[in-house]
Amino acid sequence: MTSDYLLGLTENREQHPFSVDELGLDDETVDLLKSGKLNVRLICEMIKHPDYINFIS
């Protein structure tokens, strides 16, 4: 576990040692996610939902 997780600063238990490029996101998408204009926590929950794949198909 990371110290940020233990201090409640993040919900990520692990530090992920990979670049954004591996996620397949373009610069505009990364900027939008970082902007604070979107509820990123909600997006995470939606993506994890078992029916998400069917929803976007």
Side-chain angles (χ1 to χ4, degrees):
M1 278 185 224
T2 66
S3 57
D4 284 350
Y5 176 77
L6 294 173
L7 294 170
L9 301 175
T10 182
E11 293 186 22
N12 297 330
R13 291 182 210 129
E14 299 177 27
Q15 185 174 358
H16 302 285
F18 56 84
S19 69
V20 173
D21 292 337
E22 291 184 50
L23 297 175
L25 303 175
D26 59 23
D27 291 339
E28 188 176 349
T29 302
V30 171
D31 290 343
L32 184 57
L33 290 169
K34 289 171 52 179
S35 73
K37 294 178 182 177
L38 299 174
N39 184 335
V40 178
R41 187 172 184 171
L42 177 60
I43 292 169
C44 290
E45 291 303 316
M46 289 171 48
I47 290 171
K48 291 186 287 186
H49 191 281
D51 293 328
Y52 181 73
I53 300 293
N54 293 332
F55 174 73
I56 62 169
S57 297

